[in-house]
Amino acid sequence: MAVPPGVSERDFDRALREFENAVGEQWVFASDEDVDLYRDAYSIYKGDPEDRTAAAAVAPYTVEEVQAVVRTANRYRIPIYPISTGKNLGYGGSAPNLSGSVVLDLKRMNRILEISERNASVLVEPGVSYFDLYRYIQERGLKLWVDVPDPGWGSLIGNAVDHGGGYTQPQFRNHFDAHCGMEIVLPDGDLLRTGMGALPGSESWQQYKFGAGPWIDGLFSQSNYGVVTKMGFWLMPEPDAYLTGTVHVPKHDDLIPLVDILNFLENTGVVNGMPRLGSMVGGGRLQSEPELQALLARGASTAELEEYAAVAGRGYWSCTVKFYGPEKAIAANWEYAREKFSAIPGATFVDGESYRFPLTAEQIEDITRGQADGTGDSALPDFGVPSLVTFSAGARSETNPNPSSGHVWFSPIIPRSGEAIIEANRVFAEAAGELGLPVAAAGFSLPATYWNRSFMYLYGFPISEDPEANRRTREVFERLVRIAAEHGWGEYRTAPAFQDTVADTYSFNDHALRRFNERLKDAIDPNGIVAAGRYGIWPRHMRGA
Amino acid sequence: MIVSRTLLLSGALALILAGWTSAASAQDAVEQRGKEVFDYWCDACHGDGPGRPGTAALEALYNGEKPALIEDRDDLLPELTRAFVRDGISVMPFFRKTEISDADLDALAAYLAP
């Protein structure tokens, strides 16, 4: 049995007994077989002796049990690492930053504590998954949607505190932004509620975020200042209808006004679904059109590619916009969007999909099919329906006969402009050449649009069974993080393996942010027991180690 | 005497039948629980219909030699189910005991077993 770093076997044994007294013997996992299940299933250290592993796991059922576990951990200086559903795959899974930590597994705390259709809000515990909440709402016939990320098995709380995102309206897509009120067990076992939750008797915990005084909720995201045991979220009332439409523009440089107009339409609330940028090589065309492949392979000029797009009768770029709301209103919004996009000479438009809600089972199946084969404008998350369809992209299939063992995401934030997309393509293509990475269609890589004020690239790096291949991937990944940072682009989220590297890039004024985070850490968690190393925040006694 | 002997025998038979029935219903209950575990944890990937990556993966792997739907398989020994759930494979992660307990895994394995 492994023992946490700096802890004697005798103390660890005592702590485990106290954990058992707190949560029940069957919910303390210390055998190798059980502890092995707390590895990161998609670890970039797979097969490597440095792979992060736990010393044990404890699974409390109540807030009081969490407090008891934390107090014991503090007494014996046991590092603990909270997880919610443990499904943060691609960003670290259930494994701790610090090997030898005891994982605080909150999966059993899976209660939906309050839900209000009138206020369109919910209060949940960390073990509640998107699937759980969706089923709960469906069973009760509530007219509420949950904004879901791609995989539905994640935790609302875990995803929000790791800054995850989804696909519906902008005020719900950013899951941390969409929360209202938190409850946190602090490293000394004290219990804290934020916002209106700090006011005894308040009935507006899920209605007003701030209360009075500093708003501290952000401190408990991507950090290690406490264990989040409850969070409120604002839900989306089921709209009447939904509509999509696509604009195609003919020239390479049209990308700049295309994004500017899109930004205007989103920032004025006209486009209120998650847009999707596309290009002449998207939609499987690269595989099916040898002539296009050949053009790209020989580094054809922009003029040649524009000509190819014109002859093929398609735009150089496209943008699919989505609308939620009353049927007449969203039709008018699409008409208005077309007017605005028409400022780009040669812009053409294609009407897309339209639905009225609730969706029928047949419609859900059609949407699922369109999502799985990439032919639809829409996907299940556009309608707040959780699934695991996203894994179709990585799992074995006819086109992917040798699937990887998972993936890890490189995901830098870039400015929300056409110029930034063009520059990112140049920089990443150059970096790919230098690092020996494959580039399918140089110049045509497009960012995700989860955040309505910025763009974000998402590049998945495969996990291999070969430790040497994983070592090379780590090197490439770290190099990319640094190259991105040199251009002012920073990661929005990353796996523990890269959190020190990423934290290092946010270095304004001699790492003032990290120094501030460390001062907080020392004040709030002087023994450094909670999630040591999370996002580069190490306890005093481990800094520089 | 004969009557009472018959009654005794009937009683014995009834007891045996009752035992058989309760064993059968216990097995039914286990398999019922296994089905619930399947629906909750496995169906999103291994169920029937479009967009089920587990089913699509097994279709690509077996190419018709075996059913792609694991509920239709007649060769899934309980050890195999246990191994895949606790070890994972490819992009399928392993599942912790706070997700699928040993008892639930036994029920799932019984439900999928031939």
Side-chain angles (χ1 to χ4, degrees), chain A residues 346-424:
Chain A
T348 57
F349 301 93
V350 179
D351 290 340
E353 299 166 0
S354 66
Y355 292 102
R356 286 189 64 82
F357 302 114
L359 295 171
T360 65
E362 291 74 25
Q363 286 172 325
I364 289 178
E365 191 160 317
D366 285 347
I367 293 161
T368 310
R369 192 173 288 111
Q371 181 184 354
D373 62 23
T375 55
D377 274 358
S378 309
L380 292 174
D382 289 316
F383 309 104
V385 180
S387 79
L388 297 176
V389 178
T390 188
F391 289 96
S392 301
R396 185 189 300 275
S397 65
E398 271 181 29
T399 53
N400 184 24
N402 298 303
S404 68
S405 299
H407 51 260
V408 63
W409 294 110
F410 171 64
S411 39
I413 298 285
I414 71 159
R416 216 174 207 271
S417 69
E419 292 94 329
I421 295 175
I422 293 165
E423 175 67 355

Side-chain angles (χ1 to χ4, degrees), chain A residues 220-528:
Chain A
F220 300 98
S221 69
Q222 293 195 348
S223 72
N224 49 17
Y225 303 137
V227 181
V228 181
T229 47
K230 288 183 184 66
M231 264 176 99
F233 291 94
W234 288 339
L235 303 174
M236 178 167 154
E238 181 179 87
D240 287 358
Y242 167 88
L243 184 71
T244 71
T246 299
V247 52
H248 296 272
V249 293
K251 304 289 185 191
H252 173 271
D253 289 352
D254 291 340
L255 184 61
I256 293 161
L258 183 72
V259 171
D260 286 340
I261 295 166
L262 172 67
N263 289 348
F264 172 81
L265 292 169
E266 285 200 85
N267 292 336
T268 51
V270 173
V271 166
N272 64 355
M274 182 167 151
R276 189 177 68 196
L277 293 167
S279 75
M280 61 183 285
V281 306
R285 292 183 184 118
L286 197 58
Q287 287 76 35
S288 60
E289 297 180 20
E291 194 186 340
L292 180 57
Q293 263 184 352
L295 277 173
L296 288 166
R298 70 172 171 79
S301 69
T302 298
E304 286 175 290
L305 290 168
E306 286 174 347
E307 190 185 337
Y308 182 87
V311 170
R314 73 175 71 118
Y316 198 102
W317 307 108
S318 69
C319 179
T320 299
V321 286
K322 304 176 181 182
F323 307 86
Y324 301 95
E327 213 160 13
K328 287 179 185 169
I330 60 178
N333 280 345
W334 172 221
E335 190 183 337
Y336 178 78
R338 287 200 307 265
E339 277 174 33
K340 287 289 171 190
F341 284 125
S342 293
I344 302 170
T348 57
F349 301 93
V350 179
D351 290 340
E353 299 166 0
S354 66
Y355 292 102
R356 286 189 64 82
F357 302 114
L359 295 171
T360 65
E362 291 74 25
Q363 286 172 325
I364 289 178
E365 191 160 317
D366 285 347
I367 293 161
T368 310
R369 192 173 288 111
Q371 181 184 354
D373 62 23
T375 55
D377 274 358
S378 309
L380 292 174
D382 289 316
F383 309 104
V385 180
S387 79
L388 297 176
V389 178
T390 188
F391 289 96
S392 301
R396 185 189 300 275
S397 65
E398 271 181 29
T399 53
N400 184 24
N402 298 303
S404 68
S405 299
H407 51 260
V408 63
W409 294 110
F410 171 64
S411 39
I413 298 285
I414 71 159
R416 216 174 207 271
S417 69
E419 292 94 329
I421 295 175
I422 293 165
E423 175 67 355
N425 268 277
R426 187 189 67 74
V427 169
F428 290 133
E430 194 177 295
E434 178 199 321
L435 298 168
L437 299 172
V439 179
F444 287 97
S445 177
L446 287 165
T449 56
Y450 300 100
W451 325 125
N452 56 323
R453 295 289 180 148
S454 59
F455 283 137
M456 182 171 78
Y457 273 97
L458 267 175
Y459 295 116
F461 284 83
I463 306 297
S464 172
E465 294 295 311
D466 173 10
E468 177 55 23
N470 290 333
R471 190 193 61 73
R472 284 197 304 273
T473 301
R474 292 197 298 274
E475 278 182 12
V476 165
F477 194 110
E478 294 193 349
R479 182 78 191 111
L480 278 174
V481 169
R482 293 197 175 93
I483 290 170
E486 284 161 15
H487 291 83
W489 310 325
E491 291 282 277
Y492 95 109
R493 180 182 184 187
T494 198
F498 305 113
Q499 285 174 0
D500 286 322
T501 304
V502 168
D504 228 25
T505 63
Y506 287 84
S507 61
F508 169 77
N509 188 22
D510 190 24
H511 301 276
L513 181 60
R514 182 163 64 203
R515 288 187 281 112
F516 179 76
N517 288 336
E518 289 172 349
R519 285 160 73 183
L520 286 175
K521 183 69 176 169
D522 294 344
I524 298 167
D525 184 12
N527 293 325

Side-chain angles (χ1 to χ4, degrees), chain A residues 134-257:
Chain A
Y134 178 78
R135 286 171 184 144
Y136 185 93
I137 287 170
Q138 294 301 307
E139 283 164 11
R140 286 158 184 78
L142 304 177
K143 298 290 184 193
L144 293 172
W145 284 15
V146 191
D147 189 282
V148 301
D150 280 309
W153 53 19
S155 153
L156 273 88
I157 289 182
N159 188 273
V161 298
D162 210 32
H163 298 173
Y167 291 84
T168 63
Q169 293 187 356
Q171 67 268 40
F172 305 108
R173 290 209 297 268
N174 180 324
H175 293 165
F176 194 75
D177 269 2
H179 97 271
C180 189
M182 298 175 99
E183 180 186 86
I184 301 124
V185 173
L186 293 172
D188 62 0
D190 203 4
L191 189 66
L192 171 73
R193 286 186 176 178
T194 68
M196 298 308 293
L199 183 77
S202 166
E203 293 179 4
S204 53
W205 194 16
Q206 273 65 66
Q207 299 188 8
Y208 184 67
K209 293 184 177 197
F210 304 107
W215 189 61
I216 61 170
D217 291 36
L219 294 178
F220 300 98
S221 69
Q222 293 195 348
S223 72
N224 49 17
Y225 303 137
V227 181
V228 181
T229 47
K230 288 183 184 66
M231 264 176 99
F233 291 94
W234 288 339
L235 303 174
M236 178 167 154
E238 181 179 87
D240 287 358
Y242 167 88
L243 184 71
T244 71
T246 299
V247 52
H248 296 272
V249 293
K251 304 289 185 191
H252 173 271
D253 289 352
D254 291 340
L255 184 61
I256 293 161

